[in-house]
Amino acid sequence: MSAFVYRHGVLHAEACAVPDLVRQFGTPLYVYSKQALVEQYQRYQDALGDYDGHICYAVKANSNLRVLAVLAEAGAGFDIVSGGELERVLRAGGKADRIVFSGVGKQKDEIARALAVGIHCFNVESYPELELINAVASELRLVAPVSLRVNPNVDAGTHPYISTGLKANKFGVPIEQADAFYARAADLAHINVVGVDCHIGSQLTDIAPLAESLDSVLALVDRLAEQGIQLRHVDMGGGLGISYQDHETAPDIEGYIDFLKQRLASRGLALVLEPGRSIVGDAGIFVTEVALLKEGEEKNFAVVDGAMNDLLRPALYGAWQRVQPVVPRTEPDAGELKHWDIVGPICETGDFLAKDRALNLQPKDLLAVMQSGAYGFVMASNYNTRPRAAEVMVDGDKVHLVRRRETLDDLLALEEGLH
Ligand SMILES: Cc1ncc(COP(=O)(O)O)c(C=O)c1O
Ligand SMILES: N[C@@H](CCCC[NH3+])C(=O)O
């Protein structure tokens, strides 16, 4: 059940009325639900059950320390893509031996730190990277656990910017080259090959492309076994989508994991998954206030105090997210339903949160952009010298400020050269 529901005509986050949160913390504001976060993680964990493996939450989706701490406490592992994300996970109480390290450009110092703390494995994406990891491990007199990220050349059927499993994408090693890659890795003294990894894209609403990728991955696993290279785990990445629009249905997490377990069990393979959006996406909203209404001949614009720097998905991918009034107007004061483009104050035509939405609006109205828990705050910037929004997490009727609003002093603090 959604943690964001109307009660007595007011949008609530769990037991907290959103207007109360706004009075306390201002706008624009990210609001997360602890209950929604834990419930969604628990679905993955329960579906895995006592099957050997890890649910490694993809930190990039929402890396707030409190979000990570809640998931660490629930028992999550983590998928990281930088040294910065590694430190976040460790600070939040995540266990190093449940971390997988993905990404095409891992740096020497990031590799060294990950080796020193003892992560579960590196998801390697190229030969030069494999050699770098071997060299760093050799310097530290350690052995690096490694999984190869294969690119199965499968169309994930998602937005081209978030599709990662095609030959044209920069990710992974083409699956036809994987046999040779493993043979070479097996010869390196400081590399221990433990698995195979595949992540074909994000916001998938159909699991057929994942099943197709799994076929190729398992054929590779079987070929390697014949050559005496026995892998211990298969990591199918993340990618399960959520319902941003009514016509989109989120894939069935339990059904998907059951399917994976069935395919892996006969080969004695453990299962690793790296879900991001499907854990945190529904657990957050972005709240913004209408600053002014600008009605025109062709278009009506509602200028709000949130912008593309706060929530980039609409500008970057043309993404469509639900926009709901925090306190919907009711008869007899419902006013006139008009179509609005919800735009921010930034000097870019692409600065919109939504287009052509039928709403009854007045200045100072609060709007909630739903499904903003994933790839929301993490993609925020300071463009137009806009301090980034505050983030709060509700837990029943309690609310915790989990990142304070930035100030102008925060923004200017790192700049030098005036005197
Ligand atoms: C390697 C890797 N793993 C996991 C994820 C998480 O994906 P999602 O948020 O779609 O579950 C991503 C992002 O797409 C990724 O690049
Ligand atoms: N940022 C993207 C997802 C990218 C996934 C990263 N591999 C989105 O908002 O949809």
Side-chain angles (χ1 to χ4, degrees):
M1 208 191 80
S2 171
F4 301 98
V5 288
Y6 290 97
R7 273 193 216 108
H8 310 296
V10 176
L11 186 66
H12 279 63
E14 299 192 23
C16 300
V18 172
D20 291 344
L21 300 176
V22 167
R23 264 188 289 280
Q24 208 177 337
F25 301 103
T27 52
L29 181 69
Y30 275 96
V31 181
Y32 307 130
S33 154
K34 178 178 175 183
Q35 177 199 312
L37 184 64
V38 172
E39 262 177 23
Q40 204 61 3
Y41 166 73
Q42 209 56 48
R43 284 183 65 189
Y44 272 95
Q45 196 55 54
D46 290 349
L48 186 65
D50 54 14
Y51 193 88
D52 189 15
H54 295 304
I55 304 301
C56 295
Y57 165 70
V59 174
K60 65 172 85 71
N62 185 325
S63 59
N64 181 280
L65 286 174
R66 185 70 171 235
V67 169
L68 302 183
V70 165
L71 292 172
E73 202 177 306
F78 295 92
D79 164 51
I80 58 163
V81 289
S82 70
E85 288 192 350
L86 174 57
E87 299 310 325
R88 278 183 178 274
V89 170
L90 297 176
R91 271 195 213 186
K95 294 211 167 57
D97 62 1
R98 288 187 206 159
I99 294 175
V100 296
F101 194 164
S102 306
V104 293
K106 301 174 193 75
Q107 307 288 306
K108 198 177 165 189
D109 57 341
E110 296 175 318
I111 295 168
R113 174 78 173 140
L115 278 169
V117 300
I119 65 165
H120 185 63
C121 81
F122 294 89
N123 289 337
V124 173
E125 306 219 13
S126 64
Y127 275 123
E129 189 195 329
L130 180 71
E131 271 149 23
L132 180 61
I133 293 175
N134 186 56
V136 177
S138 162
E139 270 175 39
L140 296 173
R141 295 178 206 282
L142 292 169
V143 173
V146 153
S147 166
L148 173 63
R149 177 169 180 180
V150 295
N151 183 326
N153 198 30
V154 168
D155 185 354
T158 187
H159 189 286
Y161 286 10
I162 56 177
S163 181
T164 55
L166 287 171
K167 273 193 179 152
N169 305 136
K170 69 179 174 182
F171 299 100
V173 172
I175 198 151
E176 317 78 67
Q177 296 170 22
D179 304 68
F181 193 106
Y182 276 105
R184 194 150 147 195
D187 282 342
L188 296 173
H190 293 270
I191 295 291
N192 178 25
V193 169
V194 293
V196 58
D197 164 46
C198 178
H199 171 82
I200 59 169
S202 195
Q203 184 51 18
L204 274 73
T205 47
D206 176 10
I207 67 154
L210 290 162
E212 187 184 338
S213 308
L214 182 66
D215 283 341
S216 306
V217 166
L218 291 180
L220 169 68
V221 169
D222 293 344
R223 287 197 304 276
L224 292 173
E226 279 166 23
Q227 293 158 36
I229 300 173
Q230 197 66 49
L231 301 186
R232 279 191 252 140
H233 78 247
V234 168
D235 175 348
M236 285 302 290
L240 295 196
I242 60 174
S243 171
Y244 285 106
Q245 311 199 37
D246 293 349
H247 68 79
E248 283 173 325
T249 320
D252 167 28
I253 293 172
E254 291 78 7
Y256 175 55
I257 294 187
D258 272 350
F259 162 76
L260 294 176
K261 289 198 302 195
Q262 275 171 29
R263 299 291 311 273
L264 301 191
S266 58
R267 294 170 170 89
L269 290 163
L271 171 62
V272 176
L273 289 172
E274 304 168 359
R277 189 192 316 267
S278 53
I279 287 183
V280 81
D282 282 324
I285 60 172
F286 176 67
V287 184
T288 182
E289 186 182 89
V290 176
L292 58 91
L293 299 175
K294 199 173 158 183
E295 297 182 47
E297 268 175 31
E298 275 189 32
K299 280 266 179 196
N300 295 323
F301 296 102
V303 182
V304 295
D305 63 359
M308 65 186 285
N309 77 297
D310 299 302
L311 180 63
L312 185 60
R313 302 191 68 256
L316 187 59
Y317 314 114
W320 196 102
Q321 296 188 213
R322 295 180 181 94
V323 176
Q324 296 179 193
V326 169
V327 186
R329 293 177 192 289
T330 49
E331 297 298 345
D333 305 315
E336 198 188 341
L337 198 65
K338 289 186 181 163
H339 283 79
W340 300 96
D341 281 11
I342 317 290
V343 301
I346 284 182
C347 298
E348 294 269 354
T349 305
D351 177 26
F352 63 91
L353 298 177
K355 287 193 170 170
D356 213 22
R357 302 299 172 92
L359 292 160
N360 303 320
L361 291 181
Q362 295 290 331
K364 301 250 176 258
D365 279 358
L366 295 174
L367 295 173
V369 185
M370 309 306 286
Q371 281 80 41
S372 294
Y375 306 110
F377 184 89
V378 281
M379 292 170 76
S381 77
N382 294 120
Y383 189 34
N384 280 202
T385 308
R386 286 171 51 86
R388 280 178 292 178
E391 296 173 282
V392 297
M393 185 183 288
V394 298
D395 180 8
D397 60 0
K398 294 190 191 60
V399 55
H400 304 276
L401 180 64
V402 296
R403 193 178 200 273
R404 70 163 168 79
R405 185 174 304 287
E406 283 178 351
T407 63
L408 199 52
D409 283 343
D410 290 330
L411 261 65
L412 301 182
L414 302 180
E415 294 184 32
E416 294 176 19
L418 274 187
H419 303 292

